[in-house]
Amino acid sequence: MRIAFIGDIVGRPGRKIIKENLFKIKDEYNIDFVIANGENASHGFGLTVKNCNELLKAGIDIITGGNHSFDKKQEMFALLETGQVLRPDNYPEGVPGSGIKVVEVNNEKLAVINLMGQFGMPMVENPFNWVKKIMEDLKQQNIKNIFVDFHAEATSEKRIIFMMLKGQVSAVCGTHTHIGTDDLEITDNTAYLTDIGLTGCRDNVIGMNENVPIQKVTTGLGGHFEVPNSCKSILQMMLIDIKEGKAINSFKLKKYCDKDEIIKTDAIIN
């Protein structure tokens, strides 16, 4: 199977570039299943039912989340009941929803796992201990094809969870910082990327208008971050070819709104 993962979708520009390009990319690259992190898809903070449906119609199959998952709380409660939207699984007991979904892709089972780190994040259970329990449960179910979206601030946390899971899962991809890293690799049959980077505006500050961030760092006075309605945007996507649970190939695609060509970067195989 060939699965794809799209980085943090930020606001209307992120949704727009997906709607304009995803179906064409799926056809061109023979993608079987698309996962995307959508916790910033509605005005940069959270996800609405309307925008979720828009993304699903554009070709996304499962939407993962992070620290902004519950910014639009009531809408997220409704979305979590659909089974197509996840939130980090290690949120404390009593929080609605789940961070694990097992789906059928090409008559094989694929487990999608959404976890959140600890540094600079809301209160969650220890993801490193939490994932051990998840892996034991998936092992008992004999599920080998496993994708992990690890939503974390610290690159060290992302690297640690990869070191823990390499050889046991098909892929680990980091989200949250909105800044793509240049370290795509396959080690012990597990594809890894520290951060996929945002899908949205690329000509400001992590997808948001630069005025408030500049004001905050120069004066200490904050404000409401806004996603511009018009900007130069980028679509960032990681593709993984999986056979019997093992990543046999992986590469990253970048599509700029103002360029026809798609930039492809292959993983280093260790």
Side-chain angles (χ1 to χ4, degrees), residues 100 102 131-143:
I100 305 171
V102 178
V131 77
K132 293 179 183 178
K133 302 174 185 177
I134 295 173
M135 293 304 300
E136 183 61 34
D137 183 55
L138 294 177
K139 184 178 180 180
Q140 290 179 4
Q141 297 180 57
N142 196 33
I143 297 174

Side-chain angles (χ1 to χ4, degrees), residues 17-241:
I17 196 169
I18 287 172
K19 287 191 293 183
E20 291 174 347
N21 293 279
L22 183 53
F23 277 121
K24 291 182 288 186
I25 292 174
K26 287 176 72 172
D27 288 341
E28 182 177 351
Y29 289 91
N30 298 311
I31 297 170
D32 299 307
F33 194 82
V34 180
I35 307 158
N37 188 289
E39 62 142 20
N40 300 120
S42 297
H43 316 294
F45 299 92
L47 179 65
T48 65
V49 172
K50 177 178 179 291
N51 293 157
C52 176
N53 291 335
E54 182 181 339
L55 291 172
L56 295 176
K57 289 178 181 177
I60 294 169
D61 298 294
I62 290 285
I63 298 175
T64 56
N67 56 303
H68 289 294
S69 283
F70 293 98
D71 283 6
K72 294 172 175 52
K73 193 179 299 181
Q74 296 304 316
E75 300 219 42
M76 178 53 66
F77 287 167
L79 288 171
L80 289 169
E81 294 180 359
T82 67
Q84 288 184 281
V85 177
L86 303 180
R87 48 79 169 167
D89 197 63
N90 57 322
Y91 264 109
E93 185 178 351
V95 175
S98 171
I100 305 171
K101 180 71 174 180
V102 178
V103 297
E104 292 280 340
V105 180
N106 295 346
N107 298 316
E108 293 186 53
K109 289 184 178 180
L110 168 70
V112 179
I113 301 172
N114 188 193
L115 293 168
M116 187 155 63
Q118 293 179 299
F119 178 77
M121 292 300 209
M123 183 182 73
V124 289
E125 302 291 347
N126 183 308
F128 309 102
N129 291 330
W130 195 265
V131 77
K132 293 179 183 178
K133 302 174 185 177
I134 295 173
M135 293 304 300
E136 183 61 34
D137 183 55
L138 294 177
K139 184 178 180 180
Q140 290 179 4
Q141 297 180 57
N142 196 33
I143 297 174
K144 298 178 181 179
N145 307 307
I146 304 169
F147 175 86
V148 180
D149 169 8
F150 190 44
H151 198 80
E153 178 74 32
T155 56
S156 56
E157 287 190 341
K158 296 173 183 179
R159 192 71 188 175
I160 289 168
I161 208 161
F162 168 58
M163 287 291 130
M164 289 179 60
L165 296 178
K166 65 177 183 173
Q168 302 179 63
V169 302
S170 309
V172 176
C173 188
T175 53
H176 177 65
T177 71
H178 295 199
I179 305 299
T181 57
D182 186 24
D183 60 346
L184 180 60
E185 65 177 89
I186 296 177
T187 299
D188 293 345
N189 303 305
T190 298
Y192 171 75
L193 184 60
T194 297
D195 204 294
I196 183 68
L198 66 80
T199 289
C201 294
R202 70 180 197 268
D203 55 355
N204 40 48
V205 178
I206 62 170
M208 308 288 184
N209 186 287
E210 66 271 18
N211 294 335
V212 171
I214 291 172
Q215 173 185 290
K216 187 172 183 179
V217 299
T218 55
T219 68
L221 302 177
H224 182 67
F225 284 24
E226 294 283 350
V227 178
N229 287 324
S230 178
C231 65
K232 292 183 178 180
S233 59
I234 185 173
L235 168 59
Q236 304 194 70
M237 179 187 300
M238 175 185 181
L239 281 75
I240 312 106
D241 292 330

